Amino acid sequence: MARIVMKFGGTSVADLDRIRNVAARVKREVEAGHQVAVVVSAMSGVTNQLVKWCQDLSALHDAREYDTVVATGEQVTTGLTAIALQAIGVDARSWQGWQVPIITDQAHGKARVDRIDGAALIERMEQGQVPVVAGFQGIDPKRNRITTLGRGGSDLSAVAIAAAVKADRCDIYTDVDGIYTTDPRIVPRARKLERISYEEMLELASVGAKVLQTRSVELAMKQRVRVQVLSSFEDKPGSLVVDEDEIVEQPVVSGIAYSRDDAKITLRRVPDRPGVAAAVFGALAKANVNVDMIVQNIGADGSTDMTFTIGKVDLARAQDVLEKARGELGYEALLADPDVTKISVVGIGMRSHAGVATTMFKALSEKGINIQVISTSEIKVSVLVSADYTELAVRALHTAYGLDAPA
Ligand code: ADP
Ligand code: ASP
Ligand code: MG
């Protein structure tokens, strides 16, 4: 007998038939003698609609009210999944984030999980009941308000609950049958990875591979939760996220990811003096805007251009903050470009191999794709390109690093 957390993403609970399918899968595990907790996302498309409603009313909407709205999608699917389970004779009960409770900080829209007491869930599981927990939701106990864990946050809910109830496995059911060398929807010749290390998955997720949310991988790595990604529609083995030393063959580049969620800001002619970067990024940090890539060149005539990327969702807020601080910062113009994509190649093998970036630059130049910003880390190289070239660039790089599956 094992204790399992089964998480179902938006497409897996997209309509009543799919919810019935989820219930049938859960029943199979229960009948095999396992203790099961289920975590569900909102029906696919629902969270996007909820976010859009907030944005349409006000680009600078209140973050607490945003969470009040966007957390509702998961409430619907917990109830429906519990009903579907009960309908086929499985004892089940829905749980909202605040009922568990999943305690978070106050960073609305991207809250961090502080702690989860798994005792109540364990007690129910031991009685043979299946808790159906809302993904994505938490509660900030200080203000007693609902929080959400950032887009894709149900993966984090699942891993955090798996850690809290000491589950043997955390199975992430989704609309692909595993983790691939890149998004199989963009590159049909992407290869499925039987295993991938926590480190590489973390890096891939952090640069846009949506198959697992970044923080969920981070937490799984820290708490040593065994995560498996598998299809909710087909009975096939999935992909396992494991320790580096459990992987036998280690290619230099193991995956490629892209993110369309970034926007580029350029501040033209910023005064080139000490303290300016601190003032710019300090103002953004205070407004809870995360900055990713940054470039600044050597200044001529006492000023310089500063370019950086932030999340597209934060663009209105960032522009607002920077425009208000213009007097203090003293730049000449602010240029915003949301039509960019960040493309990254990731691999642990980069630690010991030179020339990885060169292969990337060459492959992109052969396709006539201009690179706007470059950044690197120990096991990753990222470039920012025009969004029009996303597919072309990802496919070219997938081929250039020899990742294509045999035709
Ligand atoms: P869910 O709603 O189940 O959480 P997501 O849409 O968040 O599903 O994540 C699954 C999607 O991740 C897939 O449909 C696929 O397009 C995308 N994806 C991106 N990179 C990868 C990758 N390397 N391997 C598999 N899927 C990927
Ligand atoms: N429903 C949330 C979202 O779409 C959380 C999730 O699906 O993981 O971001
Ligand atoms: Mg997801």
Side-chain angles (χ1 to χ4, degrees), residues 204-222:
L204 278 172
S206 74
V207 291
K210 293 209 161 107
V211 63
L212 286 174
Q213 192 223 26
T214 310
R215 283 179 182 170
S216 73
V217 185
E218 203 173 46
L219 187 69
M221 184 161 127
K222 208 160 97 193

Side-chain angles (χ1 to χ4, degrees), residues 191-204:
R191 265 187 298 123
K192 183 161 142 188
L193 301 166
E194 224 174 279
R195 281 154 190 267
I196 182 167
S197 67
Y198 287 112
E199 288 82 356
E200 283 168 311
M201 191 60 237
L202 180 59
E203 201 81 39
L204 278 172

Side-chain angles (χ1 to χ4, degrees), residues 69-80:
V69 175
V70 302
T72 57
E74 274 72 10
Q75 176 153 346
V76 174
T77 47
T78 50
L80 291 174

